[in-house]
């Protein structure tokens, strides 16, 4: 049997570190480590060459060590338990527990973040940066998709910029009875300096300072667990911009917010965040645009 076939058989039968040890022994006997004739080297010293290819975990540790901080349940400052921790314990323990239970949110919020459709990039100012004919088609498709989901939408909030307002108006035609609300906080901007940096887009530091505070304010207004008075699960639509959506996703998932620019979103795409009463957050979809024909997809 040839050397290669023998090595292949050993790796297939033994597997793992045992296979590497046997392979090292065979390789040493054949002089594969490059020593001259007559030189004697330890098998264990040669084994160090192959060790780098082996997993670093042991038989008792098969999971990577967490590298970031633990999940902060009071990230939105609405955890009911945080409201009672500072109270004087004048009441019985069971009374405090009952008070906490009564003050806990019961409903789940579903927030569907829609990126505006394709718009006229060469327009002079916001008023001229309206949707292109393709952009209007995209908005129609997004509205049809939202309607097809069969959800009971509670509200449709949109950025006050022209491209987002027009996108929201087209979508609303497919969602009869859903209230439209305009909000300046949701306007496009530079949320935080991205890491790693990019060369094609370099806003001034003052823009990060001003836009970042505004977009963070929008996050705090719209992305949080349900109010204690809310009894049923809600489905809320927010039509805004790629930078805003990507920043919201990083903040909601407690990922480093400076990583927002590592994501890409198609025009008219749907990003779905779910916020549980406990404060847990799940990302159900990120930039879903599979409901659009391939020739209608853009990212401008």
């Amino acid at each position: 049997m040839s050397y290669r076939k023998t090595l292949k058989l050993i790796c297939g039968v033994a597997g793992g570190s045992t296979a590497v040890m046997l392979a090292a022994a065979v390789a040493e006997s054949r002089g594969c480590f490059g020593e001259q004739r007559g030189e004697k080297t330890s098998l264990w010293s040669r084994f160090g060459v192959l060790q780098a290819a082996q997993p670093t975990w042991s038989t008792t540790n098969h999971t990577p060590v967490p590298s970031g901080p633990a999940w902060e349940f009071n990230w939105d400052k609405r955890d009911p338990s945080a409201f009672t921790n500072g109270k004087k314990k004048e009441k019985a323990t069971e009374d405090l527990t009952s008070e906490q239970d009564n003050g806990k949110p019961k409903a789940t919020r579903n927030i569907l973040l829609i990126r505006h459709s394709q718009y006229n990039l060469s327009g002079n100012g916001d008023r001229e940066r309206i949707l292109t004919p393709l952009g209007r088609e995209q908005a129609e498709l997004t509205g049809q998709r939202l309607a097809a989901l069969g959800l009971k939408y509670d509200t449709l909030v949109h950025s006050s910029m022209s491209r987002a307002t027009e996108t929201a108006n087209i979508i609303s035609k497919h969602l009869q009875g859903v209230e439209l609300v305009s909000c300046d906080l949701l306007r496009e901007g530079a949320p935080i300096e991205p890491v790693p940096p990019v060369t094609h887009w370099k806003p001034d530091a003052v823009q990060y300072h001003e836009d970042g505070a505004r977009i963070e304010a929008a996050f705090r207004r719209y992305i949080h667990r349900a109010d204690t008075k809310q009894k049923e699960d809600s489905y809320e639509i927010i039509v805004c911009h790629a930078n805003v959506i990507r920043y919201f996703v990083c903040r909601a998932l407690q990922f480093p917010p400076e990583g927002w620019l590592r994501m890409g979103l198609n025009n008219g795409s749907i990003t779905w965040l779910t916020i549980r009463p406990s404060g847990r957050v799940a990302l159900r979809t990120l930039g879903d645009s599979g409901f659009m024909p391939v020739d209608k997809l853009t990212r401008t």
Side-chain angles (χ1 to χ4, degrees):
M1 186 180 295
S2 67
Y3 166 68
R4 289 186 178 180
K5 288 183 178 180
T6 303
L7 182 59
K8 189 174 182 181
L9 178 61
I10 292 171
C11 291
V13 174
S17 300
T18 305
V20 173
M21 287 294 296
L22 291 172
V26 174
E28 184 184 41
S29 67
R30 297 177 63 90
C32 294
F33 286 111
E35 67 271 12
Q36 299 296 322
R37 287 196 177 188
E39 288 184 355
K40 291 186 178 181
T41 55
S42 167
L43 172 61
W44 293 105
S45 65
R46 296 308 184 187
F47 177 65
V49 178
L50 300 175
Q51 197 171 17
Q54 293 301 292
T56 56
W57 10 286
S58 66
T59 55
T60 58
N61 179 23
H62 297 284
T63 56
V65 177
S67 58
W71 178 263
E72 171 55 61
F73 278 94
N74 196 28
W75 59 274
D76 58 353
K77 309 306 177 188
R78 295 168 186 252
D79 185 352
S81 62
F83 300 145
T84 58
N85 286 344
K87 289 186 176 182
K88 294 181 180 179
K89 296 184 178 180
E90 298 174 352
K91 298 182 180 181
T93 305
E94 60 269 16
D95 291 339
L96 285 175
T97 304
S98 177
E99 185 179 341
Q100 283 187 24
D101 290 340
N102 292 333
K104 284 183 178 179
K106 304 294 191 300
T108 294
R109 293 185 69 214
N110 294 275
I111 302 171
L112 289 83
L113 301 160
I114 314 298
R115 189 192 176 193
H116 61 76
S117 302
Q118 185 191 65
Y119 68 104
N120 176 25
L121 286 169
S122 60
N124 184 21
D126 180 60
R127 289 187 178 181
E128 294 184 7
R129 292 175 181 173
I130 58 176
L131 299 187
T132 64
L134 174 56
R136 290 191 286 274
E137 286 186 64
Q138 292 170 338
E140 294 282 358
L141 292 168
T142 303
Q144 293 169 12
R145 173 60 175 173
L146 291 170
L149 291 175
L151 303 173
K152 182 182 178 182
Y153 300 106
D154 297 87
T155 186
L156 197 167
V157 184
H158 61 85
S159 159
S160 56
M161 297 187 81
S162 296
R163 55 189 182 269
T165 300
E166 190 176 358
T167 300
N169 287 331
I170 294 174
I171 289 175
S172 68
K173 295 189 304 182
H174 300 273
L175 307 174
Q176 297 299 320
V178 180
E179 179 186 9
L180 269 76
V181 179
S182 179
C183 180
D184 287 333
L185 292 178
L186 293 166
R187 295 172 72 88
E188 183 64 300
I192 188 174
E193 191 169 357
V195 177
V198 292
T199 56
H200 64 277
W201 186 70
K202 287 188 174 181
D204 296 330
V206 67
Q207 187 174 351
Y208 285 120
H209 180 70
E210 294 176 354
D211 290 352
R214 173 178 54 78
I215 296 172
E216 173 63 21
F219 173 81
R220 297 186 186 192
R221 173 177 290 189
Y222 295 109
I223 312 298
H224 55 78
R225 76 192 76 190
D227 187 84
T228 56
K229 297 178 181 179
Q230 183 176 324
K231 303 302 180 184
E232 298 181 355
D233 294 352
S234 60
Y235 296 87
E236 305 157 48
I237 301 171
I238 298 178
V239 180
C240 54
H241 310 269
N243 294 359
V244 178
I245 294 172
R246 293 182 284 188
Y247 178 78
F248 279 9
V249 168
C250 287
R251 285 282 283 109
L253 297 178
Q254 299 187 24
F255 292 164
E258 61 271 16
W260 63 272
L261 198 52
R262 302 171 202 172
M263 301 177 237
L265 300 173
N266 288 335
N267 295 113
S269 61
I270 301 172
T271 296
W272 187 335
L273 284 171
T274 296
I275 307 177
R276 302 293 182 190
S278 64
R280 293 182 183 273
V281 180
L283 179 64
R284 296 188 60 174
T285 62
L286 176 66
D288 176 26
S289 54
F291 51 87
M292 292 189 187
V294 175
D295 60 342
K296 305 295 183 184
L297 296 176
T298 61
R299 197 179 289 182
T300 55

PDB file of all heavy atoms in Angstrom, residues 175-202:
ATOM      1  N   LEU A 175     -52.234  49.163   2.513  1.00  0.00           N
ATOM      2  CA  LEU A 175     -52.511  48.898   3.928  1.00  0.00           C
ATOM      3  C   LEU A 175     -53.598  49.859   4.405  1.00  0.00           C
ATOM      4  O   LEU A 175     -53.326  50.836   5.104  1.00  0.00           O
ATOM      5  CB  LEU A 175     -51.233  49.060   4.765  1.00  0.00           C
ATOM      6  CG  LEU A 175     -50.001  48.272   4.300  1.00  0.00           C
ATOM      7  CD1 LEU A 175     -48.790  48.655   5.136  1.00  0.00           C
ATOM      8  CD2 LEU A 175     -50.249  46.776   4.360  1.00  0.00           C
ATOM      9  N   GLN A 176     -54.802  49.591   4.025  1.00  0.00           N
ATOM     10  CA  GLN A 176     -55.905  50.497   4.332  1.00  0.00           C
ATOM     11  C   GLN A 176     -56.105  50.647   5.837  1.00  0.00           C
ATOM     12  O   GLN A 176     -56.068  49.669   6.582  1.00  0.00           O
ATOM     13  CB  GLN A 176     -57.192  49.975   3.689  1.00  0.00           C
ATOM     14  CG  GLN A 176     -57.152  49.913   2.157  1.00  0.00           C
ATOM     15  CD  GLN A 176     -56.942  51.276   1.526  1.00  0.00           C
ATOM     16  OE1 GLN A 176     -57.504  52.270   1.978  1.00  0.00           O
ATOM     17  NE2 GLN A 176     -56.133  51.326   0.475  1.00  0.00           N
ATOM     18  N   GLY A 177     -56.315  51.900   6.250  1.00  0.00           N
ATOM     19  CA  GLY A 177     -56.622  52.173   7.647  1.00  0.00           C
ATOM     20  C   GLY A 177     -55.431  52.332   8.555  1.00  0.00           C
ATOM     21  O   GLY A 177     -55.599  52.594   9.751  1.00  0.00           O
ATOM     22  N   VAL A 178     -54.212  52.191   8.035  1.00  0.00           N
ATOM     23  CA  VAL A 178     -53.008  52.342   8.865  1.00  0.00           C
ATOM     24  C   VAL A 178     -52.590  53.805   8.878  1.00  0.00           C
ATOM     25  O   VAL A 178     -52.396  54.416   7.828  1.00  0.00           O
ATOM     26  CB  VAL A 178     -51.853  51.456   8.354  1.00  0.00           C
ATOM     27  CG1 VAL A 178     -50.617  51.625   9.234  1.00  0.00           C
ATOM     28  CG2 VAL A 178     -52.277  49.995   8.302  1.00  0.00           C
ATOM     29  N   GLU A 179     -52.449  54.358  10.057  1.00  0.00           N
ATOM     30  CA  GLU A 179     -52.114  55.771  10.209  1.00  0.00           C
ATOM     31  C   GLU A 179     -50.678  56.051   9.781  1.00  0.00           C
ATOM     32  O   GLU A 179     -49.757  55.305  10.106  1.00  0.00           O
ATOM     33  CB  GLU A 179     -52.302  56.178  11.674  1.00  0.00           C
ATOM     34  CG  GLU A 179     -51.966  57.632  11.952  1.00  0.00           C
ATOM     35  CD  GLU A 179     -52.019  57.982  13.434  1.00  0.00           C
ATOM     36  OE1 GLU A 179     -52.145  57.038  14.260  1.00  0.00           O
ATOM     37  OE2 GLU A 179     -51.921  59.172  13.759  1.00  0.00           O
ATOM     38  N   LEU A 180     -50.477  57.155   9.045  1.00  0.00           N
ATOM     39  CA  LEU A 180     -49.145  57.595   8.644  1.00  0.00           C
ATOM     40  C   LEU A 180     -48.684  58.718   9.556  1.00  0.00           C
ATOM     41  O   LEU A 180     -49.436  59.652   9.839  1.00  0.00           O
ATOM     42  CB  LEU A 180     -49.140  58.092   7.198  1.00  0.00           C
ATOM     43  CG  LEU A 180     -48.829  57.052   6.110  1.00  0.00           C
ATOM     44  CD1 LEU A 180     -50.049  56.172   5.893  1.00  0.00           C
ATOM     45  CD2 LEU A 180     -48.434  57.727   4.810  1.00  0.00           C
ATOM     46  N   VAL A 181     -47.431  58.608   9.992  1.00  0.00           N
ATOM     47  CA  VAL A 181     -46.840  59.622  10.863  1.00  0.00           C
ATOM     48  C   VAL A 181     -45.461  59.981  10.325  1.00  0.00           C
ATOM     49  O   VAL A 181     -44.643  59.093  10.067  1.00  0.00           O
ATOM     50  CB  VAL A 181     -46.716  59.116  12.322  1.00  0.00           C
ATOM     51  CG1 VAL A 181     -46.085  60.193  13.194  1.00  0.00           C
ATOM     52  CG2 VAL A 181     -48.075  58.703  12.864  1.00  0.00           C
ATOM     53  N   SER A 182     -45.202  61.285  10.151  1.00  0.00           N
ATOM     54  CA  SER A 182     -43.895  61.747   9.680  1.00  0.00           C
ATOM     55  C   SER A 182     -43.019  62.112  10.870  1.00  0.00           C
ATOM     56  O   SER A 182     -43.499  62.657  11.871  1.00  0.00           O
ATOM     57  CB  SER A 182     -44.068  62.958   8.755  1.00  0.00           C
ATOM     58  OG  SER A 182     -42.814  63.435   8.318  1.00  0.00           O
ATOM     59  N   CYS A 183     -41.718  61.837  10.757  1.00  0.00           N
ATOM     60  CA  CYS A 183     -40.802  62.112  11.875  1.00  0.00           C
ATOM     61  C   CYS A 183     -39.448  62.579  11.352  1.00  0.00           C
ATOM     62  O   CYS A 183     -38.792  61.879  10.567  1.00  0.00           O
ATOM     63  CB  CYS A 183     -40.630  60.860  12.736  1.00  0.00           C
ATOM     64  SG  CYS A 183     -39.524  61.091  14.147  1.00  0.00           S
ATOM     65  N   ASP A 184     -39.021  63.761  11.822  1.00  0.00           N
ATOM     66  CA  ASP A 184     -37.726  64.311  11.412  1.00  0.00           C
ATOM     67  C   ASP A 184     -36.549  63.535  11.988  1.00  0.00           C
ATOM     68  O   ASP A 184     -35.454  63.546  11.418  1.00  0.00           O
ATOM     69  CB  ASP A 184     -37.613  65.772  11.856  1.00  0.00           C
ATOM     70  CG  ASP A 184     -38.493  66.702  11.026  1.00  0.00           C
ATOM     71  OD1 ASP A 184     -38.773  66.367   9.863  1.00  0.00           O
ATOM     72  OD2 ASP A 184     -38.896  67.758  11.543  1.00  0.00           O
ATOM     73  N   LEU A 185     -36.743  62.874  13.121  1.00  0.00           N
ATOM     74  CA  LEU A 185     -35.637  62.142  13.736  1.00  0.00           C
ATOM     75  C   LEU A 185     -35.114  61.020  12.847  1.00  0.00           C
ATOM     76  O   LEU A 185     -33.959  60.602  12.970  1.00  0.00           O
ATOM     77  CB  LEU A 185     -36.076  61.550  15.085  1.00  0.00           C
ATOM     78  CG  LEU A 185     -36.367  62.527  16.217  1.00  0.00           C
ATOM     79  CD1 LEU A 185     -36.841  61.765  17.455  1.00  0.00           C
ATOM     80  CD2 LEU A 185     -35.139  63.370  16.555  1.00  0.00           C
ATOM     81  N   LEU A 186     -35.969  60.523  11.949  1.00  0.00           N
ATOM     82  CA  LEU A 186     -35.625  59.371  11.117  1.00  0.00           C
ATOM     83  C   LEU A 186     -34.915  59.751   9.824  1.00  0.00           C
ATOM     84  O   LEU A 186     -34.642  58.888   8.992  1.00  0.00           O
ATOM     85  CB  LEU A 186     -36.890  58.569  10.784  1.00  0.00           C
ATOM     86  CG  LEU A 186     -37.560  57.882  11.974  1.00  0.00           C
ATOM     87  CD1 LEU A 186     -38.962  57.407  11.600  1.00  0.00           C
ATOM     88  CD2 LEU A 186     -36.724  56.721  12.470  1.00  0.00           C
ATOM     89  N   ARG A 187     -34.592  61.022   9.643  1.00  0.00           N
ATOM     90  CA  ARG A 187     -33.919  61.451   8.414  1.00  0.00           C
ATOM     91  C   ARG A 187     -32.539  60.801   8.310  1.00  0.00           C
ATOM     92  O   ARG A 187     -31.914  60.460   9.313  1.00  0.00           O
ATOM     93  CB  ARG A 187     -33.801  62.974   8.383  1.00  0.00           C
ATOM     94  CG  ARG A 187     -35.152  63.674   8.294  1.00  0.00           C
ATOM     95  CD  ARG A 187     -34.999  65.177   8.464  1.00  0.00           C
ATOM     96  NE  ARG A 187     -34.377  65.794   7.298  1.00  0.00           N
ATOM     97  CZ  ARG A 187     -35.036  66.235   6.227  1.00  0.00           C
ATOM     98  NH1 ARG A 187     -36.365  66.107   6.175  1.00  0.00           N
ATOM     99  NH2 ARG A 187     -34.399  66.800   5.219  1.00  0.00           N
ATOM    100  N   GLU A 188     -32.059  60.672   7.073  1.00  0.00           N
ATOM    101  CA  GLU A 188     -30.765  60.033   6.837  1.00  0.00           C
ATOM    102  C   GLU A 188     -29.641  60.860   7.444  1.00  0.00           C
ATOM    103  O   GLU A 188     -29.763  62.087   7.610  1.00  0.00           O
ATOM    104  CB  GLU A 188     -30.540  59.859   5.327  1.00  0.00           C
ATOM    105  CG  GLU A 188     -29.254  59.144   4.948  1.00  0.00           C
ATOM    106  CD  GLU A 188     -29.198  57.700   5.419  1.00  0.00           C
ATOM    107  OE1 GLU A 188     -29.277  57.484   6.654  1.00  0.00           O
ATOM    108  OE2 GLU A 188     -29.049  56.792   4.578  1.00  0.00           O
ATOM    109  N   GLY A 189     -28.537  60.202   7.774  1.00  0.00           N
ATOM    110  CA  GLY A 189     -27.396  60.902   8.339  1.00  0.00           C
ATOM    111  C   GLY A 189     -26.244  59.965   8.632  1.00  0.00           C
ATOM    112  O   GLY A 189     -26.230  58.804   8.193  1.00  0.00           O
ATOM    113  N   ALA A 190     -25.278  60.477   9.366  1.00  0.00           N
ATOM    114  CA  ALA A 190     -24.078  59.716   9.743  1.00  0.00           C
ATOM    115  C   ALA A 190     -24.179  59.367  11.220  1.00  0.00           C
ATOM    116  O   ALA A 190     -23.899  60.214  12.072  1.00  0.00           O
ATOM    117  CB  ALA A 190     -22.830  60.534   9.460  1.00  0.00           C
ATOM    118  N   PRO A 191     -24.582  58.145  11.559  1.00  0.00           N
ATOM    119  CA  PRO A 191     -24.836  57.805  12.966  1.00  0.00           C
ATOM    120  C   PRO A 191     -23.607  57.758  13.848  1.00  0.00           C
ATOM    121  O   PRO A 191     -23.609  58.251  14.976  1.00  0.00           O
ATOM    122  CB  PRO A 191     -25.509  56.435  12.882  1.00  0.00           C
ATOM    123  CG  PRO A 191     -25.079  55.864  11.578  1.00  0.00           C
ATOM    124  CD  PRO A 191     -24.901  57.033  10.660  1.00  0.00           C
ATOM    125  N   ILE A 192     -22.538  57.140  13.355  1.00  0.00           N
ATOM    126  CA  ILE A 192     -21.304  57.009  14.130  1.00  0.00           C
ATOM    127  C   ILE A 192     -20.198  56.634  13.148  1.00  0.00           C
ATOM    128  O   ILE A 192     -20.451  55.992  12.127  1.00  0.00           O
ATOM    129  CB  ILE A 192     -21.444  55.931  15.231  1.00  0.00           C
ATOM    130  CG1 ILE A 192     -20.226  55.929  16.149  1.00  0.00           C
ATOM    131  CG2 ILE A 192     -21.662  54.549  14.633  1.00  0.00           C
ATOM    132  CD1 ILE A 192     -20.363  54.997  17.351  1.00  0.00           C
ATOM    133  N   GLU A 193     -18.983  57.063  13.418  1.00  0.00           N
ATOM    134  CA  GLU A 193     -17.878  56.784  12.506  1.00  0.00           C
ATOM    135  C   GLU A 193     -17.683  55.282  12.378  1.00  0.00           C
ATOM    136  O   GLU A 193     -17.530  54.581  13.382  1.00  0.00           O
ATOM    137  CB  GLU A 193     -16.596  57.441  13.004  1.00  0.00           C
ATOM    138  CG  GLU A 193     -15.476  57.420  11.992  1.00  0.00           C
ATOM    139  CD  GLU A 193     -14.313  58.300  12.399  1.00  0.00           C
ATOM    140  OE1 GLU A 193     -14.412  58.980  13.444  1.00  0.00           O
ATOM    141  OE2 GLU A 193     -13.306  58.310  11.664  1.00  0.00           O
ATOM    142  N   PRO A 194     -17.727  54.758  11.143  1.00  0.00           N
ATOM    143  CA  PRO A 194     -17.666  53.304  10.974  1.00  0.00           C
ATOM    144  C   PRO A 194     -16.272  52.741  11.193  1.00  0.00           C
ATOM    145  O   PRO A 194     -15.266  53.407  10.980  1.00  0.00           O
ATOM    146  CB  PRO A 194     -18.090  53.110   9.511  1.00  0.00           C
ATOM    147  CG  PRO A 194     -17.667  54.374   8.835  1.00  0.00           C
ATOM    148  CD  PRO A 194     -17.846  55.470   9.861  1.00  0.00           C
ATOM    149  N   VAL A 195     -16.243  51.499  11.650  1.00  0.00           N
ATOM    150  CA  VAL A 195     -14.998  50.745  11.813  1.00  0.00           C
ATOM    151  C   VAL A 195     -15.170  49.404  11.097  1.00  0.00           C
ATOM    152  O   VAL A 195     -16.122  48.682  11.389  1.00  0.00           O
ATOM    153  CB  VAL A 195     -14.675  50.502  13.304  1.00  0.00           C
ATOM    154  CG1 VAL A 195     -13.418  49.648  13.442  1.00  0.00           C
ATOM    155  CG2 VAL A 195     -14.498  51.826  14.042  1.00  0.00           C
ATOM    156  N   PRO A 196     -14.300  49.058  10.142  1.00  0.00           N
ATOM    157  CA  PRO A 196     -13.174  49.854   9.651  1.00  0.00           C
ATOM    158  C   PRO A 196     -13.639  51.046   8.824  1.00  0.00           C
ATOM    159  O   PRO A 196     -14.750  51.026   8.300  1.00  0.00           O
ATOM    160  CB  PRO A 196     -12.400  48.847   8.787  1.00  0.00           C
ATOM    161  CG  PRO A 196     -13.443  47.900   8.295  1.00  0.00           C
ATOM    162  CD  PRO A 196     -14.419  47.757   9.430  1.00  0.00           C
ATOM    163  N   PRO A 197     -12.782  52.075   8.699  1.00  0.00           N
ATOM    164  CA  PRO A 197     -13.176  53.267   7.941  1.00  0.00           C
ATOM    165  C   PRO A 197     -13.252  52.972   6.445  1.00  0.00           C
ATOM    166  O   PRO A 197     -12.690  51.990   5.965  1.00  0.00           O
ATOM    167  CB  PRO A 197     -12.062  54.267   8.258  1.00  0.00           C
ATOM    168  CG  PRO A 197     -10.877  53.410   8.588  1.00  0.00           C
ATOM    169  CD  PRO A 197     -11.442  52.194   9.276  1.00  0.00           C
ATOM    170  N   VAL A 198     -13.971  53.813   5.724  1.00  0.00           N
ATOM    171  CA  VAL A 198     -14.066  53.688   4.271  1.00  0.00           C
ATOM    172  C   VAL A 198     -13.517  54.964   3.646  1.00  0.00           C
ATOM    173  O   VAL A 198     -13.516  56.023   4.268  1.00  0.00           O
ATOM    174  CB  VAL A 198     -15.521  53.449   3.823  1.00  0.00           C
ATOM    175  CG1 VAL A 198     -16.005  52.093   4.271  1.00  0.00           C
ATOM    176  CG2 VAL A 198     -16.444  54.540   4.351  1.00  0.00           C
ATOM    177  N   THR A 199     -13.062  54.846   2.417  1.00  0.00           N
ATOM    178  CA  THR A 199     -12.441  55.995   1.746  1.00  0.00           C
ATOM    179  C   THR A 199     -13.436  56.776   0.890  1.00  0.00           C
ATOM    180  O   THR A 199     -13.211  57.945   0.595  1.00  0.00           O
ATOM    181  CB  THR A 199     -11.283  55.516   0.852  1.00  0.00           C
ATOM    182  OG1 THR A 199     -11.780  54.539  -0.086  1.00  0.00           O
ATOM    183  CG2 THR A 199     -10.186  54.869   1.690  1.00  0.00           C
ATOM    184  N   HIS A 200     -14.542  56.137   0.484  1.00  0.00           N
ATOM    185  CA  HIS A 200     -15.469  56.791  -0.445  1.00  0.00           C
ATOM    186  C   HIS A 200     -16.488  57.691   0.249  1.00  0.00           C
ATOM    187  O   HIS A 200     -17.234  58.401  -0.413  1.00  0.00           O
ATOM    188  CB  HIS A 200     -16.206  55.734  -1.263  1.00  0.00           C
ATOM    189  CG  HIS A 200     -17.081  54.826  -0.451  1.00  0.00           C
ATOM    190  ND1 HIS A 200     -16.575  53.730   0.206  1.00  0.00           N
ATOM    191  CD2 HIS A 200     -18.411  54.859  -0.177  1.00  0.00           C
ATOM    192  CE1 HIS A 200     -17.561  53.118   0.847  1.00  0.00           C
ATOM    193  NE2 HIS A 200     -18.674  53.782   0.635  1.00  0.00           N
ATOM    194  N   TRP A 201     -16.520  57.668   1.582  1.00  0.00           N
ATOM    195  CA  TRP A 201     -17.522  58.440   2.317  1.00  0.00           C
ATOM    196  C   TRP A 201     -16.915  58.909   3.627  1.00  0.00           C
ATOM    197  O   TRP A 201     -16.658  58.110   4.519  1.00  0.00           O
ATOM    198  CB  TRP A 201     -18.754  57.558   2.561  1.00  0.00           C
ATOM    199  CG  TRP A 201     -19.918  58.267   3.183  1.00  0.00           C
ATOM    200  CD1 TRP A 201     -20.720  59.211   2.605  1.00  0.00           C
ATOM    201  CD2 TRP A 201     -20.417  58.078   4.507  1.00  0.00           C
ATOM    202  NE1 TRP A 201     -21.683  59.618   3.490  1.00  0.00           N
ATOM    203  CE2 TRP A 201     -21.534  58.944   4.666  1.00  0.00           C
ATOM    204  CE3 TRP A 201     -20.049  57.269   5.576  1.00  0.00           C
ATOM    205  CZ2 TRP A 201     -22.260  59.014   5.847  1.00  0.00           C
ATOM    206  CZ3 TRP A 201     -20.774  57.341   6.759  1.00  0.00           C
ATOM    207  CH2 TRP A 201     -21.876  58.208   6.874  1.00  0.00           C
ATOM    208  N   LYS A 202     -16.673  60.228   3.731  1.00  0.00           N
ATOM    209  CA  LYS A 202     -16.017  60.765   4.926  1.00  0.00           C
ATOM    210  C   LYS A 202     -16.721  62.040   5.390  1.00  0.00           C
ATOM    211  O   LYS A 202     -16.305  63.151   5.062  1.00  0.00           O
ATOM    212  CB  LYS A 202     -14.541  61.052   4.639  1.00  0.00           C
ATOM    213  CG  LYS A 202     -13.676  59.805   4.527  1.00  0.00           C
ATOM    214  CD  LYS A 202     -12.200  60.165   4.449  1.00  0.00           C
ATOM    215  CE  LYS A 202     -11.330  58.923   4.476  1.00  0.00           C
ATOM    216  NZ  LYS A 202      -9.884  59.255   4.436  1.00  0.00           N
TER     217      LYS A 202
END
